[in-house]
Amino acid sequence: MEIEIQHEQKSNAGEFFITGQGEERVGKLDYILFGSGRLVIQHTEVGKELQGKGAASKLVDAAAEHARNKGMKIVPLCPFAKKYMTTNRDKFGDVLA
C-alpha cells in the first residue's frame, strides 16, 4: 500500500492524514497551532492495516516538513511523536521547541 499523506487545516487546528479504500481515514496526526509559532502535536493514530509499516513516522515527518516550511517549532505532546522526534534529534532538532 502506497502511503500518501494529506493535510487539512481549519483556523488554529489541523490534521495530517492517510486515506484508505473508500476514502476513510486510516491514519492521522492531530495538531493545534499557537500564535507563538508553535505546532503542538496532540495525537497520532494509525489503523491495524498500517501498524508496523512506518505510517505514524511518515505523519510526523510530514508535520515536521510543514513546520520547517512555515518557520514554526513543534511541541510533541503525543507520546509516539515525542519519542520519535527526540530519538531522532539529528532529523528534527531544527523544529523541536
Side-chain angles (χ1 to χ4, degrees), residues 7 9 33 37 39 63-73:
H7 180 224
Q9 184 176 323
L33 298 173
L39 185 151
E65 189 60 31
H66 178 75
R68 276 186 196 100
N69 292 339
K70 300 284 185 183
M72 303 175 87
K73 294 288 185 183

Side-chain angles (χ1 to χ4, degrees), residues 12-58:
N12 68 336
E15 187 173 274
F16 288 91
F17 61 94
I18 302 164
T19 55
Q21 295 174 340
E23 297 303 308
E24 80 281 3
R25 294 183 181 185
V26 294
K28 65 179 185 161
L29 178 151
D30 297 318
Y31 68 87
I32 56 173
L33 298 173
F34 281 100
S36 59
R38 300 205 187 276
L39 185 151
V40 180
I41 299 176
Q42 296 185 297
H43 181 69
T44 306
E45 176 182 333
V46 296
K48 284 192 186 333
E49 67 272 22
L50 290 177
Q51 290 177 3
K53 297 183 179 169
S57 299
K58 288 184 184 207

Side-chain angles (χ1 to χ4, degrees), residues 55-94:
S57 299
K58 288 184 184 207
L59 288 165
V60 175
D61 291 344
E65 189 60 31
H66 178 75
R68 276 186 196 100
N69 292 339
K70 300 284 185 183
M72 303 175 87
K73 294 288 185 183
I74 292 180
V75 178
L77 294 183
C78 162
F80 171 81
K82 184 173 188 167
K83 182 177 181 185
Y84 178 61
M85 293 184 82
T86 56
T87 57
N88 292 286
R89 262 188 206 279
D90 55 327
K91 186 175 181 179
F92 300 110
D94 62 323

